[in-house]
Amino acid sequence: MTTTLSKTEIDNYWNDGYLFPKRVMSVETANALRIELEQLEADWLDNGLTLPLNTYKRINAQMVMPIAHEIGVMDSILDVVEGVLGPDIMLYSTELLIKEARTKNVVTMHQDLTYWGMGEIDGLTTAWLALSPATRESGCMDFVQASHKNPILPHEDSFDDHNLLSRGQEIKVDVSPEDRVAVELEPGEISLHHGLTIHGSGPNVSNDRRIGVVLRYLTPKIKKTGGERDYAHLARGADTDGNWQPYLVPQTPFAEENLAVYTAARTLQTSVMMSGAKKSGAFYDKADK
Ligand SMILES: O=C(O)CCC(=O)C(=O)O
């Protein structure tokens, strides 16, 4: 499948701070991935993992779940990403952002780069792949057009139980309903968004799970400020700068050696992500999300 972006699509990304929908696989392939993922969830829900299964799904799933790494390095997705980041691409994280049917979990409006210790950069983009229909009813994302032209704006932490974000952070800006662009996607389609684009999503009031595979990509030039080198996998091209440590690519789910790297990355990222937070503790440790 050819998914290279046209000049117009690339211009749209930089003007709007997002681009969608872009088909990167057939509906059949997306359905097959969903079945594989759901089998893995069934196999591992109660299988003696140290942390709740949802924690591994929520962040850095690419380090411990082969399917999450394999989706992150799919050529059809990297072709799209190359249009905005260029030929050298690192996979930083795969997050399986699943909202179960008829549940209240939301993602408040925020800018991704707020707590990531990377500054206000253009060299990070997120590809959000739908493995089930992402609709207004199922709690698809909303984007605010051209909001990536802002710096990082003030955010407030709520630590709300129904918020899927690490600190329940919400941007301190009123976003009116007319300024929200609903990112409806069919299985096998992706959206792309810039790290400063204001976005969020509502609850899933539908009768199906909303399954998003959230892929974070960086150029190798990006460097985290301070601290130890974080982990990222060279997905395409060359690592020109050595700012990131490679992680061991998982061959089987939750292998001991992969879990060790997962724990190291979690410790390192928690210290950056939770810096200055009023509540302490590791992030994404709830069993129900
Ligand atoms: O999946 C969602 O509803 C929100 C995802 C999100 O915040 C992101 O991809 O940065």
Side-chain angles (χ1 to χ4, degrees):
M1 179 178 286
T2 309
T3 52
T4 312
L5 294 185
S6 67
K7 166 142 185 8
T8 308
E9 288 174 314
I10 295 170
D11 289 348
N12 287 346
Y13 174 85
W14 291 110
N15 288 331
D16 296 339
Y18 55 77
L19 181 73
F20 73 95
K22 187 80 185 166
R23 179 158 293 285
V24 293
M25 64 185 70
S26 64
V27 174
E28 292 72 29
T29 303
N31 288 342
L33 286 172
R34 174 176 179 166
I35 290 168
E36 192 183 335
L37 172 63
E38 291 185 334
Q39 185 59 54
L40 191 142
E41 288 178 293
D43 291 347
W44 285 90
L45 184 61
D46 259 328
N47 211 348
L49 292 168
T50 309
L51 297 166
L53 177 62
N54 273 337
T55 300
Y56 298 104
K57 283 156 51 184
R58 178 63 187 82
I59 185 94
N60 291 327
Q62 83 288 359
M63 292 185 171
V64 286
M65 296 167 62
I67 188 175
H69 175 83
E70 283 155 19
I71 295 174
V73 296
M74 280 180 79
D75 274 328
S76 60
I77 299 179
L78 293 174
D79 286 345
V80 177
V81 172
E82 183 166 341
V84 301
L85 291 190
D88 303 323
I89 303 172
M90 319 281 299
L91 173 63
Y92 178 52
S93 183
T94 304
E95 304 170 16
L96 301 166
L97 258 175
I98 300 175
K99 290 181 187 162
E100 301 300 340
R102 298 175 304 281
T103 50
K104 293 188 176 153
N105 287 342
V106 299
V107 174
T108 40
M109 294 304 250
H110 67 285
Q111 291 166 300
D112 289 333
L113 287 169
T114 307
Y115 299 118
W116 290 3
M118 297 179 195
E120 293 162 341
I121 51 164
D122 285 326
L124 175 137
T125 197
T126 296
W128 196 108
L129 167 69
L131 291 189
S132 67
T135 60
R136 285 179 175 82
E137 207 193 2
S138 70
C140 70
M141 282 191 291
D142 291 320
F143 290 150
V144 179
Q145 192 172 26
S147 53
H148 66 303
K149 294 180 182 169
N150 289 290
I152 294 176
L153 297 167
H155 285 63
E156 206 158 41
D157 301 338
S158 72
F159 291 100
D160 189 87
D161 273 349
H162 289 303
N163 199 315
L164 291 173
L165 297 177
S166 54
R167 305 162 59 136
Q169 62 264 34
E170 179 164 15
I171 201 159
K172 282 164 83 179
V173 169
D174 277 334
V175 181
S176 63
E178 318 77 83
D179 287 338
R180 292 171 192 247
V181 179
V183 189
E184 294 199 303
L185 298 172
E186 288 173 13
E189 291 181 338
I190 60 168
S191 60
L192 279 191
H193 68 266
H194 187 283
L196 291 171
T197 297
I198 299 174
H199 63 289
S201 64
N204 180 2
V205 297
S206 80
N207 291 323
D208 191 10
R209 316 175 83 194
R210 192 221 63 170
I211 306 176
V213 181
V214 186
L215 305 157
R216 317 281 186 192
Y217 296 101
L218 300 161
T219 72
K221 298 240 166 297
I222 302 304
K223 192 172 175 10
K224 266 184 131 165
T225 44
E228 246 182 275
R229 276 192 315 157
D230 200 346
Y231 295 82
H233 171 84
L234 180 65
R236 178 173 281 188
D239 178 359
T240 47
D241 295 68
N243 292 333
W244 304 86
Q245 316 189 43
Y247 59 85
L248 200 61
V249 172
Q251 307 297 328
T252 54
F254 304 107
E256 215 171 296
E257 60 275 24
N258 299 114
L259 285 166
V261 183
Y262 184 93
T263 303
R266 179 172 163 79
T267 306
L268 190 152
Q269 292 175 3
T270 297
S271 71
V272 177
M273 183 81 92
M274 302 306 273
S275 159
K278 291 208 179 88
K279 260 191 175 176
S280 59
F283 58 172
Y284 308 129
D285 50 6
K286 294 253 169 62
D288 62 342
K289 56 183 186 178

